[in-house]
Each structure stands twice: as C-alpha cells, then as structure tokens.
Amino acid sequence: MAAPVEHEKWSSRLTFILAAVGSAVGLGNVWKFPYTAGMNGGGAFVLIYVLCILAVGLPILIAELTLGKRGQMSPPNSMARLAREEGRHKSWQTVGWIGVAAGFLILSFYSVIGGWALAYIPKLISGSIISTDPGVVTAQFDALLADPWELLIWHSLFMGLTVFVISRGIHAGIEQAVNVLMPSLFFLLVALVIYAAIAGDFARAWSFLFSFDFAKIDGSVVLSAMGQAFFSISVGLGCMMTYGAYLPAQANIPRSAAVIVTADSIVALLAGLAIFPIVFANGLDPSSGAGLVFVTLPLAFAGVPGGEIFGTLFFILIAFAAITSSISLLEPVVSWAEEHKGVKRSLSAILAGALSWAIGLLTVLSFNVWGDFHPLSMIERFREATLFDLIDYLTSNIMLPVGGFAMAIFASWMLSKATTRAELDLPPALYKAWLLLARFVAPAAVFLILIFSVSE
Ligand code: TRP
C-alpha cells in the first residue's frame, strides 16, 4: 500500500465544476452523440439515452464522486483505502485498475479523433474544406482519413497537448482556459442551431431526434445508448473519482452532479440540432458513421457569411473541449503514480501518454491501411468492425458500464449508510431516492442491458 500523498485541491467549487463539466463535455457530445444517434435510428436511441443518463448515469456519477471525495486518492488507491476502512475485501481495488486500463484505451482513440479536429483548423482557415457541395467535403475528409501519416501527426500533436497540460498540473492553465472556452463553445453551438433551423431541414431533424419509433429499439440500440450515456458524462472509469478526490470536505456532490449532467445533455442535444438539419438538407446519410460531424459542419459553414472564421473558431473550440476531456482521462493514472513513490507528474504524464499514443496507432490504421481488417468478423454484429470500432465498443459498451455497476454497488452497499449520508448531505427523501437508484435501479439496468444485448 502506497503512503498517502496529499494531492492539490481545486481552488474553488467553481473550478471543480468547470473541470468536471470540461471532462464531460467533449467529443462525446459533438462528435459521438450525433453519429451514434444517426446510426441507431434517431428518436428511440435519444429517448433511451436520456433515460439512461437520469436513472443510471446520474446516480452512478454521484456514487463515483463520493468514492473519490471520501477516498481522497487515485481510483486504485481510493478503492483500496475505502475497502479497508469499511472492512470490505481488498479485491475491490480491481475496479480502480479496470478504470485505469479503460482510460488508456479511450484516450488512445480520443486523441486520434481530437487530432481530426486539429487537422480541420488549417483546412478551415484556408477554406479548402468549406464547400456547399457534399461531394467535395466528403472527398476532403476521406483524404484525411486515407493518409495515416497525416492522422499520425495530428494524433501526436493532440496527445502532446494533453501531456503538456497534465504535466503542468491542473491549476496552471486549464482552469483559466475552461473558463472562457466552454461558454464560447456553448454560444457558438446555439448560433449554429439557429443557422441550421433557418438553412437546414429542421423539421425533419426534429422528428428524427425526438419521435420515438419503438420498432427501432432492439438490444444493440439500448446498449449503444447506455454506453453513450456513460461515455458522455465520463462515468464508470474513475475520472470523476479522481476529480472528486481533489474536492474539499464541504463540497456538495449531488448538486455538482446535477450541474454536470444537465450541461452535458444540453450540449449533446444542441449538437444534434445543429447537425441533423444540415444532414437532411444536403441529402447526407444520418447513419454514415464517425465522419458525420466532420462532413456536416463544413457544409454548414459554407452557407454562412464569414464561414471560414466561424468554422475555424468552432473547430478550435471543439479541440479545446476535447482537451479538457482528454486530460481527465490521463489524470487517474498520473495521480496514482504520484501516490506511488511520488513519481513526478511530468514523467508519468509522458510515459502514460506515450503508451496511449502507441495504442492509438491501431485507431489511426483502422481508417486506412487496416480498414478492411475485421478481426471479429466471425461474430455477426462485428462483421464489419475495425479495430477502432472494437476498442470503442469494448470501452463504452462493456468496461464503463461494468465499472459503473461496481462503483454503484460499492458506494451504496459497501459503504455504511452513515458514511454516504454524511457525504451526500441530502434531504432524507432525496437520499432515499439515490439509495434506491444506486442500489437497485442502476445496477439492475446495467446488468439486464448487458445480458440481453450480448445474448441477442
Ligand atoms: N466525456 C468525454 C466526452 O464526452 C470523454 C471522457 C472523458 C470520458 N473522461 C471520460 C469518457 C471517462 C468515459 C470515461 O467527450
């Protein structure tokens, strides 16, 4: 057992909220949510997604933050410490380790996609990717994906930025940046929704996103919606546990969790409302996959006066939103290393970043050289899945739900009620509601969804 190390604390409640919202709001909202909703038929997916956020994600987020705030350490050490304090088996520590592993995997592809956003910045400044012709934009995007070297450069830059911010510590940069950039992203997104409502096919987008065709629901739609919910609010891995560990004693967890979840959901829905009107107005295929946003936005910007400027700004903001998320993926393992013989932040950030960068090569190659490599093609649902698809599926749809399940069980059953009651400081009725959700509803939902969709 490592000697406890005192971590830095957030400088205020606001900085914690900003950092946690910064972690939640990212590519998951602007990139993954629209294309995953598109691939899963729209409304039914959105409905289940929202239900999963409220009934599963929110109680688990509260559980995860509580574990961190109480444990005061990185996920493996927080879990070990709490297990010891509460007289539980020490194998609960495994939950922390699964999170660390999932963090490496998610960051590996997150950095590649974050790299796409960076790559777009010069392309938008020069105007080379802005066109009213979907064919032109698609060809430009395909050309980016087809070139492993170009992807590699931007992936490396994105990972380098992530490592840089983490090695400087949370205070010395990210807090200030988040302050200005997250609100800007929000306002630009609202402006884009207004533009899309005027120039695009808003009515069709609306009915695509919000009319629930229950015939479209099957096990895989439900599983994707749950995976997306976990991914979007950064839960089930230990990011939020780590951020929770830096909270001062008087912080209010339930209120923070509600703010995080609300902000995150609003951004995701706005992104959907900005993108789908343009998708339909241009006859694009909503189920075309990971490139959806990257093809749609340049088309939108082609229609706005000053599109180069707004487009550039928008992708800068997306890149920032992505970095405030990617740092949260690296922080748990760096925090653990700090506790362990006090390894320096910069060293552990570089080593962990390098490992994740190397795993990221699998994603880089999935879009070109290994585009036809489908390692699990013998299983029907993975018939056409690339390595990137498989890593994404494994992390979002399996590891995060399993991690979240374990955290909910641990926080609600293994910690004494006296502990959680004191930590959460809720009115009795709300405390009971949380207990009910964390003990029964969320774990049962995760369990049933995993079992049914895997056996389907
Ligand atoms: N939530 C972020 C997004 O939506 C990504 C992310 C950051 C994440 N930390 C996480 C996802 C932890 C799962 C677990 O872009």
Side-chain angles (χ1 to χ4, degrees):
M1 177 63 216
V5 169
E6 277 298 309
H7 290 288
E8 280 183 286
K9 291 271 181 273
W10 300 107
S11 19
S12 71
R13 186 161 71 212
L14 182 66
T15 54
F16 162 70
I17 292 283
L18 286 171
V21 171
S23 167
V25 173
L27 296 172
N29 307 63
V30 286
W31 161 71
K32 201 170 185 216
F33 174 75
Y35 95 78
T36 313
M39 287 177 65
N40 286 286
F45 172 92
V46 175
L47 176 67
I48 297 165
Y49 168 76
V50 172
L51 288 177
C52 283
I53 292 266
L54 295 176
V56 182
L58 181 60
I60 296 184
L61 177 59
I62 293 174
E64 183 171 339
L65 287 169
T66 305
L67 296 177
K69 178 164 171 269
R70 187 84 186 175
Q72 295 282 298
M73 293 210 197
S74 67
N77 286 335
S78 275
M79 291 302 292
R81 177 189 222 166
L82 293 173
R84 194 155 25 82
E85 280 176 12
E86 305 276 339
R88 306 295 173 180
H89 199 274
K90 62 177 186 295
S91 59
W92 278 103
Q93 187 176 25
T94 320
V95 177
W97 288 119
I98 294 176
V100 169
F104 278 111
L105 290 173
I106 293 182
L107 182 57
S108 80
F109 71 78
Y110 207 84
S111 170
V112 176
I113 314 296
W116 296 359
L118 292 177
Y120 261 49
I121 295 170
K123 291 184 201 300
L124 283 153
I125 294 177
S126 70
S128 68
I129 204 162
I130 300 188
S131 167
T132 49
D133 178 354
V136 172
V137 181
T138 308
Q140 290 268 351
F141 177 69
D142 290 345
L144 171 67
L145 294 201
D147 184 348
W149 293 107
E150 193 174 353
L151 293 185
L152 186 67
I153 289 172
W154 296 107
H155 165 47
S156 311
L157 182 64
F158 187 92
M159 190 66 84
L161 288 169
T162 303
V163 167
F164 175 74
V165 175
I166 283 291
S167 55
R168 298 201 42 173
I170 300 280
H171 290 305
I174 202 70
E175 288 186 349
Q176 285 88 328
V178 174
N179 230 332
V180 185
L181 293 164
M182 299 313 272
S184 315
L185 178 73
F186 177 79
F187 285 116
L188 220 61
L189 206 50
V190 171
L192 260 182
V193 173
I194 295 171
Y195 169 76
I198 298 167
D201 192 341
F202 198 75
R204 205 164 144 207
W206 187 271
S207 83
F208 180 74
L209 286 171
F210 300 118
S211 58
F212 312 120
D213 178 356
F214 288 98
K216 285 187 183 151
I217 299 183
D218 62 16
S220 83
V221 172
V222 177
L223 182 63
S224 308
M226 178 172 73
Q228 175 62 24
F230 277 88
F231 186 90
S232 194
I233 59 174
S234 302
V235 91
L237 187 151
C239 290
M240 291 298 185
M241 202 189 294
T242 310
Y243 278 14
Y246 306 159
L247 276 172
Q250 70 280 11
N252 184 312
I253 290 176
R255 200 177 314 136
S256 309
V259 172
I260 295 165
V261 161
T262 308
D264 188 73
S265 305
I266 291 175
V267 175
L269 293 174
L270 283 176
L273 288 175
I275 282 151
F276 283 106
I278 311 290
V279 167
F280 290 121
N282 287 282
L284 298 172
D285 175 9
S287 66
S288 62
L292 189 65
V293 177
F294 288 87
V295 172
T296 310
L297 289 177
L299 285 170
F301 289 117
V304 216
E308 281 93 353
I309 298 173
F310 286 118
T312 307
L313 196 60
F314 196 70
F315 275 90
I316 291 176
L317 294 173
I318 291 183
F320 259 98
I323 286 175
T324 59
S325 301
S326 64
I327 57 169
S328 76
L329 288 161
L330 203 50
E331 184 65 21
V333 70
V334 168
S335 164
W336 170 81
E338 225 171 15
E339 287 156 4
H340 229 78
K341 312 203 170 52
V343 180
K344 270 195 24 214
R345 283 188 80 81
S346 46
L347 179 65
S348 53
I350 290 170
L351 292 178
L355 176 58
S356 209
W357 176 88
I359 305 173
L361 300 180
L362 302 178
T363 293
V364 165
L365 294 169
S366 293
F367 290 102
N368 36 68
V369 183
W370 291 348
D372 293 322
F373 176 42
H374 308 304
L376 295 185
S377 58
M378 59 286 190
I379 302 170
E380 174 56 25
R381 82 171 66 190
F382 299 128
R383 204 158 42 87
E384 294 190 354
T386 60
L387 278 168
F388 158 69
D389 295 323
L390 293 174
I391 295 172
D392 176 25
Y393 186 92
L394 173 69
T395 49
S396 291
N397 293 3
I398 312 281
M399 293 176 92
L400 297 179
V402 169
F405 175 90
M407 289 177 199
I409 297 286
F410 188 77
S412 65
W413 291 101
M414 302 288 133
L415 298 188
S416 72
K417 280 195 194 170
T419 304
T420 47
R421 209 178 265 128
E423 286 295 341
L424 296 179
D425 192 22
L426 281 168
L430 284 180
Y431 177 75
K432 275 221 181 75
W434 173 77
L435 207 57
L436 185 75
L437 289 168
R439 283 191 157 180
F440 303 103
V441 178
V446 172
F447 184 77
L448 293 176
I449 292 174
L450 278 175
I451 296 300
F452 279 123
S453 55
V454 168
S455 64
E456 196 172 58

